[in-house]
Amino acid sequence: MSDALLTPQLSEKLNTKLLEQNHKPGLYVVATPIGNILDISLRALGILKMAQCVFAEDTRQSRKLFDWYGIKTKLVACHEYNETDFSITSLINKQGIYALISDAGTPTVSDPGYKIVNWCLQNEIDVFPIPGASASIAALSASGMPSDKFTFFGFLPSKNNARKTFLESLENETGTLIFFESPNRLLNTLEDMLEILGDRRCCVCRELTKIFEEFRRGNLLEMLRYFSNNKPTGEFVILIEGKITETKKEMEEIFSELNKLLKNTSLKESVNVLSEKYKISRKIIYKKALEIKNDFL
């Protein structure tokens, strides 16, 4: 078997598959790499090559991607100041295929694109997502932070008072909090987070998918000390543990006690002891006990 990733046979199959897609007319919102140039889907490349034109946040940045993949499609600058200008909307009709990209990642996520997407929808032009890289989701997936409930807030306000006020509004959020931050504001932001949210567990991600990718995990105080001694560089994603309610804390303590009991006591007896001690449903304790027992196996 050849070491080449794309053998001639596979390349032919992929080209055939792309041609069979029969893409409908409309605007395709295409995710592009956030760092590693290989992090783009084959479908995204196909759309970018077949589109009548591609609307890009910064055509100079996007040209690097196009040159690397040999894409010749016309690039049109489309940013937050001209998204719905006639110079943009006049290029779109109901029969054509168009693409929207940002400098990196998924358009409209802390990037321009919202206005042109809505203009298309209001003018009965279909909009389709071509999923791919997203810095917030990439950071969450490898952070070790709870991912069952989370909220993405993008960049915090740059001014100190506005940033603190915003953080104060998040004190009672129970899901993981996700933010983008620039290197020149990172220390001030970490200081405000520590002051307002307390010394919570967190993960600070830097230069995702790039050569100097870094994940720092710990508490906010540890992060503040580290980056005070190591100059912040690159692009950052900050993830912070949500507020742990007293009920959640209590259940964690009960389950911890259950885990210890099960090592020396039968499942039935452990459930009875804790149900009586804490006056809570046997069903809840029993379900958790089964999970713990299965982990033992």
Side-chain angles (χ1 to χ4, degrees), residues 53-153:
C53 69
V54 175
F55 301 108
E57 182 182 0
D58 184 336
T59 56
R60 295 166 299 178
Q61 184 68 23
S62 298
R63 177 57 60 194
K64 298 173 186 177
L65 177 71
F66 276 38
D67 288 346
W68 205 89
Y69 282 104
I71 299 171
K72 305 298 182 183
T73 309
K74 178 182 178 182
L75 280 166
V76 177
C78 179
H79 44 75
E80 59 181 320
Y81 302 110
N82 74 341
E83 286 186 62
T84 53
D85 287 357
F86 182 74
S87 61
I88 299 295
T89 58
S90 63
L91 297 173
I92 306 174
N93 60 62
K94 294 183 179 181
Q95 287 73 47
I97 290 178
Y98 310 90
L100 171 68
I101 61 177
S102 59
D103 288 351
T106 301
T108 77
V109 181
S110 279
D111 277 326
Y114 167 81
K115 293 178 183 177
I116 190 173
V117 165
N118 273 275
W119 182 90
C120 287
L121 295 174
Q122 290 167 9
N123 287 274
E124 299 182 341
I125 295 168
D126 290 331
V127 178
F128 309 97
I130 305 294
S134 171
S136 55
I137 299 302
L140 179 64
S141 68
S143 67
M145 304 295 291
S147 58
D148 57 330
K149 181 182 178 183
F150 61 90
T151 307
F152 171 66
F153 295 98

Side-chain angles (χ1 to χ4, degrees), residues 5-21 42:
L5 183 62
L6 295 182
T7 62
Q9 294 87 348
L10 180 55
S11 182
E12 183 179 349
K13 285 175 68 176
L14 290 172
N15 285 326
T16 301
K17 189 67 176 178
L18 287 170
L19 291 173
E20 290 175 350
Q21 291 294 295
L42 295 170

Side-chain angles (χ1 to χ4, degrees), residues 204-267:
V204 178
C205 315
R206 185 176 75 88
E207 293 290 85
L208 287 172
T209 78
K210 300 177 184 178
I211 293 174
F212 298 107
E213 179 181 77
E214 180 181 19
F215 285 81
R216 307 293 308 183
R217 302 175 180 89
N219 290 348
L220 280 167
L221 181 57
E222 294 176 67
M223 297 301 104
L224 183 57
R225 285 172 176 166
Y226 176 81
F227 287 106
S228 294
N229 295 314
N230 297 270
K231 184 179 179 181
T233 58
E235 299 174 329
F236 289 86
V237 182
I238 305 172
L239 303 97
I240 301 178
E241 182 179 39
K243 181 179 181 180
I244 298 179
T245 63
E246 290 306 312
T247 301
K248 184 176 178 182
K249 280 183 180 178
E250 184 179 347
M251 291 308 298
E252 287 178 349
E253 291 171 1
I254 293 171
F255 291 154
S256 176
E257 188 173 343
L258 175 62
N259 188 65
K260 294 175 182 176
L261 270 176
L262 287 170
K263 292 177 181 178
N264 301 301
T265 311
S266 70
L267 185 147

